[in-house]
């Protein structure tokens, strides 16, 4: 086999992988438009890509019903000891897991092409960026990686010059016999799906799924799981956060990084059009932030991705007009419904429910049909550069200086709209105890409360007790230059089950309050749980909410909060002696404040 690159480690890995997976041929990707079109032609010919008449260069894909979301039960962190992976991860001994997976990988690419995708997470050459190489047998993954990461000949040049990379091996696990016709969405049965990470050796092995975070290995696997372990070793942060720039009427800029569990409106927040007069919001990233301390001692963030892999369901001109405008062309849609005139449709896109659709399973659908037309986790994959409010600095290799961290979750009760942490340690406590009611972005029970520290529970690839300590350590290093920390809940409901807060563009009111807090322009009142806006501190001009509504929204019910304590204790107990003393102290102080 001729060497594909001048990077010996890469050539050896390609050779070994080909010997194990036995593809019919091997293709080194360069990220060009021609290459994208070549993949699309292949995907059209196999019936996987459905061209959309209404959106130029856009295609609809339908996945296998067993392959519709991230699969946390089949996601593994394989470290030398179980304790290193910690209580929040599924652990299998690396030798055992590699043996199991090598058996699965044996001959798994027969009848298919093995694509080698060199990509950069972050602007090529940024001191915060990292290079990965994904090997995959899925042309859908190739086009998605073109959008979500930077695939280019410049990355190949860096590799040729000897730059190191993170190997990311992926197979859909569906070899083709000679003459066998392919299915629309080839993948392995659920019991054979493995999304495996070996953080001690910076290695990813994924098998059996072609969907999103299971298959586009730059995103959750490298961007968060492997990166979180590297970040801890190297003293930086890899977080599940949107990054946005807010500019006040005087032109002062604030940079905010916010962590919310999946499907809590992160993409909506990242592209928000503020309702507060004179304020501007620009998007830098909608899912992942990599942050390093700069020469001036502040924390600088980049978005390591170059596209949005957003939940389509519920996205509309009301909820996220900027996302809608991003989706006009060059988009990969997955598991949306198809209209008779060749466009995509999903629940919540508008008020017009068509009288006939083809649903995400490829079946005829009418409003009388039983199930949803689009899958609740239907997705769009779109270039970030197409977003009308993308910040001009979104690809700045130096990143943007973060002023504010926000944590939050989806809570229909208990948690008020917005409050500020008393201190860095208290803010870390808020992140470490963040909880949300579950949705469809991950497979599991919908609607139950799960503690999702820093929205990183599915993505932190080492013992989360140590991860909390890493946050405390970063705060110690940042000192007075540390971002201020806030907690929000856009989802509180009244006793009739109606949302108390309009959300979306009105969330800018909470963000404005945070900016004015850091500028010392507005006061705050101390409560048992943190610092709350004082009367009229929150700009409610023109929002039309009654004082009673606002009271309910901001209420801190000591009884309800006391009831949270045993749950937090239970949540913390899982980390045993890895739980930092400083967080135990925060819990004790909260209990004391609650009385
Ligand atoms: C995502 C997720 O897809 O967090 O971003 O599940
Ligand atoms: Mn996410």
């Amino acid at each position: 086999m001729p060497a594909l690159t001048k990077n010996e480690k890469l050539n050896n890995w390609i050779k070994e992988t080909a010997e194990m997976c036995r593809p019919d041929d091997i293709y080194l990707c360069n990220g060009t438009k021609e290459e994208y079109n070549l993949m699309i032609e292949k995907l059209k010919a196999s019936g996987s890509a459905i061209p959309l008449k209404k959106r130029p260069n856009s295609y609809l894909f339908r996945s296998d019903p067993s392959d519709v979301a991230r699969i946390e039960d089949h996601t593994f962190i394989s470290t030398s000891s179980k304790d290193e992976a910690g209580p929040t991860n599924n652990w299998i001994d690396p030798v055992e897991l590699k043996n199991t997976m090598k058996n699965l990988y044996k001959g798994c690419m027969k009848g298919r092409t093995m694509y080698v995708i060199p990509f950069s997470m972050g602007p090529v050459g940024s001191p915060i960026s990292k290079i990965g190489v994904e090997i995959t047998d899925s042309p859908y993954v190739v086009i998605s990686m073109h959008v979500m990461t930077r695939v280019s000949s410049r990355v190949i040049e860096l590799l040729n010059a000897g730059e190191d990379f993170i190997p990311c091996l992926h197979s859909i696990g569906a070899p083709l016999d000679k003459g066998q016709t392919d299915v629309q969405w080839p993948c392995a049965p659920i019991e054979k799906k493995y999304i495996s990470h070996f953080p001690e050796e910076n290695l990813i092995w994924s098998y059996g799924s072609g969907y999103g975070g299971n298959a586009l290995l730059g995103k959750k696997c490298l961007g968060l799981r492997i990166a979180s372990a590297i970040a801890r070793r190297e003293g930086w942060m890899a977080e599940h956060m949107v990054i946005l720039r807010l500019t006040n009427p005087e032109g002062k800029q604030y940079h905010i990084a916010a962590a919310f569990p999946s499907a809590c409106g992160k993409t909506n927040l990242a592209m928000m059009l503020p309702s507060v007069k004179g304020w501007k919001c620009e998007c830098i990233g909608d899912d992942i932030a990599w942050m390093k301390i700069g020469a001036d001692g502040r924390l600088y963030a980049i978005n390591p991705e170059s596209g949005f892999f957003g939940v389509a369901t519920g996205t509309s001109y009301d909820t996220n007009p900027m996302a809608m405008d991003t989706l006009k062309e060059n988009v990969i849609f997955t598991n949306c419904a198809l209209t008779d005139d060749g466009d995509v449709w999903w629940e919540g896109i508008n008020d017009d429910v068509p009288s006939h659709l083809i649903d995400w399973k490829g079946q005829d659908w009418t409003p009388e049909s039983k199930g949803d037309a689009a899958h609740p986790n239907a997705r769009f994959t779109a270039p970030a550069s197409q977003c009308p409010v993308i910040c001009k600095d979104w690809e700045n290799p130096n990143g943007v200086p973060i002023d504010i961290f926000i944590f939050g979750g989806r809570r229909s009760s208990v948690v008020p709209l917005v409050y500020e942490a008393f201190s860095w340690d208290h803010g870390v406590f808020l992140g470490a105890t963040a909880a949300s009611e579950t949705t469809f972005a991950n497979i599991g029970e919908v609607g139950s409360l799960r503690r999702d520290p820093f929205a990183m529970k599915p993505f932190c690839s080492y013992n989360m007790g140590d991860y909390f300590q890493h946050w405390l350590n970063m705060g110690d290093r940042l000192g007075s230059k540390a971002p201020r920390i806030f907690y929000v809940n856009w989802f509180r409901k009244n006793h009739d089950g109606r949302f108390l807060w309009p959300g979306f563009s009105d969330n800018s009111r909470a963000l404005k309050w945070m900016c004015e807090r850091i500028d010392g322009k507005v006061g705050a009142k101390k409560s048992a749980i943190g610092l709350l806006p004082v009367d009229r501190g929150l700009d409610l001009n023109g929002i039309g909410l009654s004082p009673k509504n606002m009271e309910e929204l901001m209420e801190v019910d000591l009884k309800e909060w006391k009831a949270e304590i045993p749950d937090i204790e239970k949540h913390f107990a899982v980390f045993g002696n890895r739980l930092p003393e400083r967080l135990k102290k925060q819990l004790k102080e909260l209990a004391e404040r609650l009385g």
Side-chain angles (χ1 to χ4, degrees):
M1 195 184 84
L4 282 184
T5 72
K6 295 195 188 106
N7 185 304
E8 201 184 322
K9 172 179 157 185
L10 179 54
N11 290 342
N12 288 341
W13 182 54
I14 295 169
K15 187 162 171 276
E16 271 164 32
T17 307
E19 278 166 10
M20 177 167 70
C21 301
R22 302 254 151 239
D24 283 8
D25 44 38
I26 303 175
Y27 176 99
L28 178 66
C29 298
N30 56 26
T32 57
K33 245 198 181 100
E34 292 70 37
E35 179 174 284
Y36 190 93
N37 294 339
L38 190 75
M39 297 299 130
I40 289 289
E41 286 314 314
K42 243 184 136 143
L43 288 158
K44 278 203 300 204
S46 70
S48 301
I50 302 164
L52 295 167
K53 286 199 201 98
K54 295 280 176 177
R55 295 177 201 247
N57 192 30
S58 299
Y59 300 88
L60 172 65
F61 291 82
R62 297 189 189 115
S63 80
D64 187 272
S66 74
D67 204 22
V68 293
R70 288 189 291 103
I71 34 174
E72 290 176 17
D73 289 354
H74 296 252
T75 299
F76 300 97
I77 300 299
S78 190
T79 38
S80 41
S81 82
K82 187 170 176 1
D83 211 28
E84 240 3 87
T88 56
N89 286 309
N90 298 316
W91 177 85
I92 301 181
D93 173 79
V95 175
E96 183 192 332
L97 183 56
K98 281 189 181 167
N99 276 339
T100 307
M101 290 192 72
K102 274 183 191 161
N103 279 327
L104 291 169
Y105 280 131
K106 241 180 238 161
C108 70
M109 294 188 186
K110 273 190 192 146
R112 301 193 184 275
T113 297
M114 182 173 113
Y115 301 99
V116 180
I117 315 170
F119 62 96
S120 175
M121 295 303 286
V124 180
S126 155
I128 316 181
S129 299
K130 293 263 178 241
I131 289 180
V133 179
E134 176 159 354
I135 288 183
T136 181
D137 50 5
S138 161
Y140 168 85
V141 167
V142 174
I143 56 166
S144 303
M145 289 294 284
H146 270 220
V147 178
M148 295 304 298
T149 71
R150 286 137 176 119
V151 182
S152 78
S153 51
R154 281 181 67 204
V155 180
I156 301 178
E157 280 161 25
L158 287 175
L159 287 162
N160 283 342
E163 189 98 6
D164 199 11
F165 66 96
I166 297 163
C168 312
L169 174 55
H170 171 253
S171 170
I172 49 177
L176 277 175
D177 284 336
K178 273 219 166 61
Q180 187 185 345
T181 42
D182 210 354
V183 291
Q184 232 186 28
W185 185 275
C187 65
I190 186 81
E191 69 280 2
K192 289 195 179 159
K193 295 190 205 292
Y194 284 82
I195 320 299
S196 304
H197 308 74
F198 305 91
E200 288 160 351
E201 43 183 318
N202 290 350
L203 178 67
I204 301 162
W205 280 10
S206 167
Y207 183 90
S209 167
Y211 204 85
N214 304 328
L216 318 181
L217 302 185
K219 193 175 184 58
K220 303 300 187 181
C221 299
L222 194 166
L224 288 174
R225 297 200 188 94
I226 295 300
S228 62
I230 299 175
R232 177 197 174 206
R233 290 196 294 265
E234 295 181 354
W236 51 280
M237 303 171 97
E239 299 297 330
H240 191 199
M241 288 178 165
V242 308
I243 312 167
L244 56 89
R245 168 182 291 171
L246 214 59
T247 307
N248 77 6
E250 290 76 48
K252 181 167 178 194
Q253 293 176 351
Y254 307 82
H255 295 99
I256 300 181
F260 300 93
S262 307
C264 274
K266 284 217 329 264
T267 305
N268 296 346
L269 182 75
M271 299 174 197
M272 170 178 57
L273 292 176
S275 61
V276 274
K277 246 176 107 191
W279 287 67
K280 189 165 112 189
C281 179
E282 290 162 290
C283 175
I284 294 164
D286 80 328
D287 198 38
I288 301 176
W290 283 1
M291 293 170 283
K292 276 193 180 164
I293 298 178
D296 61 358
R298 297 181 73 191
L299 192 61
Y300 284 79
I302 62 159
N303 168 14
E305 300 189 281
S306 60
F308 306 125
F309 179 67
V311 177
T313 311
T315 304
S316 71
Y317 273 100
D318 287 336
T319 61
N320 195 338
M322 294 301 100
M324 293 299 283
D325 281 347
T326 306
L327 304 181
K328 287 182 175 162
E329 55 186 353
N330 312 316
V331 185
I332 302 162
F333 293 97
T334 311
N335 287 344
C336 302
L338 179 67
T339 65
D340 291 349
D341 61 352
D343 200 2
V344 276
W345 190 89
W346 50 77
E347 276 72 16
I349 190 172
N350 51 34
D351 293 335
D352 300 334
V353 180
S355 57
H356 177 261
L357 292 163
I358 303 294
D359 72 10
W360 70 275
K361 291 180 178 161
Q363 306 292 320
D364 285 308
W365 186 96
T366 67
E368 285 73 45
S369 299
K370 249 193 174 157
D372 291 329
H375 188 277
N377 193 34
R379 296 281 182 149
F380 55 79
T381 309
S385 58
Q386 292 185 185
C387 179
V389 289
I390 200 75
C391 180
K392 71 171 178 10
D393 277 327
W394 83 281
E395 298 197 275
N396 186 333
N398 299 319
V400 294
I402 298 299
D403 302 289
I404 291 167
F405 277 136
I406 307 176
F407 302 120
R410 183 183 282 271
R411 296 292 302 264
S412 47
S413 59
V414 185
V415 181
L417 176 72
V418 58
Y419 59 104
E420 183 183 349
F422 296 121
S423 62
W424 180 267
D425 278 20
H426 182 228
V428 174
F429 174 77
L430 297 184
T433 54
S436 195
E437 288 151 20
T438 51
T439 67
F440 255 109
N442 43 9
I443 286 181
E445 205 186 323
V446 174
S448 60
L449 187 73
R450 96 170 182 170
R451 298 253 163 225
D452 187 353
F454 299 83
M456 279 291 280
K457 184 165 181 263
F459 307 119
C460 175
S461 72
Y462 60 97
N463 194 306
M464 259 204 133
D466 296 348
Y467 168 85
F468 300 155
Q469 187 60 51
H470 181 55
W471 263 83
L472 294 167
N473 295 346
M474 289 299 293
D476 293 343
R477 282 175 58 202
L478 286 160
S480 63
K481 305 229 168 104
R484 294 259 284 269
I485 302 180
F486 296 80
Y487 198 94
V488 300
N489 174 27
W490 317 132
F491 302 96
R492 197 166 191 177
K493 291 179 176 172
N494 71 6
H495 300 299
D496 302 331
R498 267 203 296 270
F499 286 112
L500 286 159
W501 180 248
F504 306 109
S505 54
D506 284 317
N507 293 338
S508 59
R509 297 168 190 274
L511 305 191
K512 177 183 173 188
W513 181 71
M514 296 172 196
C515 296
E516 295 188 340
R517 278 294 298 153
I518 63 173
D519 284 345
K521 285 189 184 156
V522 289
K525 58 183 177 228
K526 203 166 171 225
S527 80
I529 63 163
L531 299 164
L532 295 168
V534 285
D535 277 348
R536 284 192 278 280
L538 207 55
D539 182 347
L540 296 175
N541 268 332
I543 196 170
L545 291 179
S546 70
K548 183 169 170 296
N549 185 311
M550 283 312 294
E551 211 175 285
E552 270 184 74
L553 184 65
M554 295 307 304
E555 189 187 1
V556 178
D557 181 326
L558 296 188
K559 256 209 326 278
E560 281 179 352
W561 274 95
K562 272 188 205 167
E564 295 270 304
I565 298 278
D567 193 59
I568 297 175
E569 280 168 351
K570 206 167 105 206
H571 162 62
F572 272 180
V574 172
F575 301 103
N577 61 9
R578 301 260 193 160
L579 184 75
E581 286 302 321
R582 282 156 73 177
L583 289 189
K584 288 186 203 161
K585 182 166 172 272
Q586 286 296 327
L587 177 57
K588 191 166 151 274
E589 286 173 7
L590 172 65
E592 281 164 9
R593 288 193 303 268
L594 291 168

